[in-house]
Amino acid sequence: MNEIFGIPLSAFIGQLMIGLINGSFYALMSLGLSIIFGLLHVVNFAHGAQYMLGAFVAWGLLEFMGIGYWPALLITPLVVGAFGLVMERLLLRRLYSVDHVYALLLTFGVAMLMEGAFRWKFGATGQPYPNPLKGGFELGMTFIPAYRIWVIAASLLLCLSTWFVIERTKLGAYLRAANENAPLVRTFGINVPRMLMLTYGLGVGLAGLSGAMAAPIYQVNPLMGNSLIVVVFAVVVIGGMGSILGSIITGFGLGVLEGLTKLFYPDAAGIVIFVAMIATLAIRPHGLFGQEPK
Amino acid sequence: MKNFSPQVTWVLLALALAVLLAAPFVLYPRFLIEIMCFALLAAALNLLVSYAGLLSFGHAMFFGAAGYVTAHAVKVWGLEPALGIVSGVLVAAVIGWVTGLLAIRRQGIYFSMITLAFAQLIYFLALRMDFTGGEDGLQNVPRRALLGVVDLSGNLAMYYMVTLITAFGFFAIYRVVNSPFGQILKAIRDNEPRAISLGYRANRYKLLVFVISASLAGLAGSTKAVAFQVVTLADLTWVTSGEALLICILGGLQTLLGPVVGAILIVSMSHYLATLAEWVLMIQGLVFVVVVMLFRKGIVGEYYAWLDRRAARREAVPLTPPVPEQ
């Protein structure tokens, strides 16, 4: 058949692919945000800027050191994660004793600082990044680029392994315990401040990795985090702040929803996620998978 | 609001009046008008954040929406500025009421996210709808005579009108804060379950202050539209909300004058660094970071705290207690 719900099949599959791609990034980014919020109770407004940093690191590795995509995938999250570690140690840690809103504002300020710095250096136009996985698959009438398949598969793998580490391993158990009752966990001899620092680094590293993976698809420019971050916040809120599985499922789900809305109801595509968020908050205030805050 | 003695307060008010009257002859009126509009927006946000404990990320939606409605009313429907501004404020109040209904029931970060979502919604609507002029915005809004009588084409006249409006806005905030209503708000902010147990319907109070805050933000936006004769999508972005927040924090949360000081600094900075646009963003981010890390009370707040410390030192308890009577 050539049509589905009255839309040509090739267009449907094309939009589905786009939705899954966007969903992959939504899922990866909201995963990082959820982890950070779950343990540190900090809303990391710098997440979009750290994503942008990751893309620029990947681009810089190629441009100045000739390091290609695949090594960059390993190096970028480490570099960006290190930046996160420093940020936590020097800045965020001092704000745990005061109202959580100050930490949020700090990350907001850091995001502005980073965006301003990169705009100053690189301007607002984008730098291209070559596609490392050229070619693709013919599926009937549609052409599916191989790189996009890789992105979707990689994000799924990353999301599920992160979920596994947090929910099914000892380290994850420590993290979840510290989330519930940090002082008590400290009395067991576990270095909670270091765990907080590493958690923040992990979340930031995930953002950086998303940026590196995004580089061949979207142009590498200082504003790339901006439009993404607001949508990702909506995803995290719908999924439930602090819920790992919620972020993953909601990320992919909303990406697909957005992609398909573009097909059936193009004008609403920009706002469908926010409408979904408002609807979710009206019905299930703590998100689809969230729990009551303590 | 700092409790100065009555004499000091009158002197300060007289001084402020003198400054306001003389200022347009020293600095460009348009510059002063911009400061006042942003000061009012920040003050509206400050009311919500400091006295109700609700951090809104979407105040730009009230600012921009009111601006668009007023601009449209004056340009297309031919209304004179006062009516135009009133319509803008009413629209902002309605949006505030609808948003508030949904947002108030949630706490903390969820509240902030709902406001952000609504703001993005409004932004996208404004982008698509015809009457907003899309990417171009609404331009060449005519400067009609106020109430059909007062000529506003000159910048000086416009400055005085804006000063009056801004003063009214700040006075409204002062009345809200220093009133039984304001006391109940503070009680709800500090310990909501207790306030509820005392019989106050906290959600109603929060919704009301949210609508007041939205209306004042709308007032700022409408006034800006009339004064500068243009409204664009930039007024609706969360960047504008962020700037308002920065002004609040820099000036000092929980103070009445904080937004004014903050607005003066931030608007001046973006003007004097206008040629270096990227520097503005970097500096704003740096200011944010420095203030949050080191001067959490903001400029005015730190000054008040210093005054308090000085007063406390004067009234220090003597080291040797008085000998009790036998």
Side-chain angles (χ1 to χ4, degrees), chain A residues 107-132:
Chain A
T107 57
F108 190 74
V110 169
M112 284 176 87
L113 195 55
M114 285 171 73
E115 187 190 323
F118 275 90
R119 277 176 81 164
W120 171 66
K121 194 77 171 53
F122 293 100
T125 53
Q127 318 281 345
Y129 191 91
N131 183 351

Side-chain angles (χ1 to χ4, degrees), chain B residues 147-164:
Chain B
L147 299 173
V149 176
V150 181
D151 177 33
L152 286 177
S153 47
N155 276 330
L156 196 60
M158 182 59 77
Y159 165 81
Y160 285 127
M161 183 187 90
V162 172
T163 309
L164 278 172

Side-chain angles (χ1 to χ4, degrees), chain B residues 15-69:
Chain B
L15 219 73
L17 190 64
V19 167
L20 282 174
L21 284 175
F25 301 105
V26 179
L27 299 162
Y28 287 121
R30 284 179 75 94
F31 175 66
L32 292 168
I33 291 175
E34 189 176 348
I35 291 180
M36 284 194 280
C37 288
F38 276 101
L40 186 56
L41 171 64
L45 180 60
N46 193 22
L47 174 68
L48 200 61
V49 174
S50 312
Y51 298 103
L54 300 167
L55 180 60
S56 158
F57 285 131
H59 256 53
M61 73 173 140
F62 309 124
F63 187 74
Y68 269 112
V69 166

Side-chain angles (χ1 to χ4, degrees), chain A residues 14-24 251-252 254-256 258-260:
Chain A
Q15 278 302 120
L16 193 64
M17 284 298 297
I18 292 179
L20 281 173
I21 294 270
N22 287 338
S24 312
F252 278 106
L254 283 175
V256 171
E258 191 187 35
L260 292 180

Side-chain angles (χ1 to χ4, degrees), chain A residues 17-266:
Chain A
M17 284 298 297
I18 292 179
L20 281 173
I21 294 270
N22 287 338
S24 312
F25 289 111
Y26 295 160
L28 274 177
M29 295 284 282
S30 56
L31 187 61
L33 267 179
S34 265
I35 293 174
I36 293 174
F37 184 78
L39 191 55
L40 281 74
H41 301 292
V42 168
V43 181
N44 186 26
F45 258 97
H47 220 68
Q50 285 147 354
Y51 159 85
M52 180 262 293
L53 181 65
F56 266 101
V57 167
W59 173 83
L61 284 173
L62 183 65
E63 179 85 359
F64 301 117
M65 296 203 255
I67 298 180
Y69 176 80
W70 301 102
L73 270 192
L74 282 167
I75 301 176
T76 307
L78 292 173
V79 169
V80 181
F83 171 79
L85 290 177
V86 168
M87 199 173 133
E88 200 278 344
R89 185 69 186 82
L90 291 181
L91 300 174
L92 277 175
R93 190 173 289 198
R94 294 175 212 274
L95 295 176
Y96 292 148
S97 48
V98 292
D99 199 314
H100 289 309
V101 81
Y102 288 112
L104 185 158
L105 293 170
L106 175 75
T107 57
F108 190 74
V110 169
M112 284 176 87
L113 195 55
M114 285 171 73
E115 187 190 323
F118 275 90
R119 277 176 81 164
W120 171 66
K121 194 77 171 53
F122 293 100
T125 53
Q127 318 281 345
Y129 191 91
N131 183 351
L133 259 185
K134 304 202 200 310
F137 309 100
E138 284 284 336
L139 201 72
M141 305 273 282
T142 5
F143 174 76
I144 302 182
Y147 184 70
R148 317 231 160 184
I149 304 269
W150 155 248
V151 166
I152 298 175
S155 349
L156 264 173
L157 192 62
L158 265 170
C159 288
L160 291 174
S161 27
T162 311
W163 175 85
F164 184 81
V165 164
I166 291 185
E167 293 287 327
R168 295 277 184 268
T169 64
K170 193 162 108 171
L171 177 65
Y174 286 164
L175 278 170
R176 283 179 288 125
N179 184 7
E180 286 205 24
N181 197 334
L184 192 58
V185 171
R186 277 184 96 161
T187 67
F188 292 149
I190 296 171
N191 192 340
V192 173
R194 187 186 301 164
M195 255 194 343
L196 294 180
M197 185 172 80
L198 289 171
T199 307
Y200 189 72
L202 172 67
V204 173
L206 270 172
L209 183 59
S210 315
M213 286 172 64
I217 302 183
Y218 312 109
Q219 287 232 305
V220 178
N221 74 74
L223 300 174
M224 64 196 292
N226 271 357
S227 36
L228 185 60
I229 192 71
V230 184
V231 178
V232 171
F233 273 125
V235 168
V236 176
V237 170
I238 295 177
M241 299 206 77
S243 163
I244 307 293
L245 203 59
S247 310
I248 301 173
I249 297 178
T250 319
F252 278 106
L254 283 175
V256 171
L257 177 67
E258 191 187 35
L260 292 180
T261 309
K262 195 130 187 123
L263 215 48
F264 296 105
Y265 206 0

Side-chain angles (χ1 to χ4, degrees), chain A residues 278-290:
Chain A
I278 292 167
T280 311
L281 284 169
I283 305 171
R284 257 190 85 89
H286 300 295
L288 298 174
F289 296 89

Side-chain angles (χ1 to χ4, degrees), chain B residues 196-216:
Chain B
I196 295 177
S197 77
L198 286 170
Y200 293 114
R201 297 175 68 165
N203 281 343
R204 277 210 182 165
Y205 283 92
K206 289 200 282 188
L207 182 61
L208 187 52
V209 74
F210 191 77
V211 171
I212 293 176
S213 174
S215 313
L216 287 169

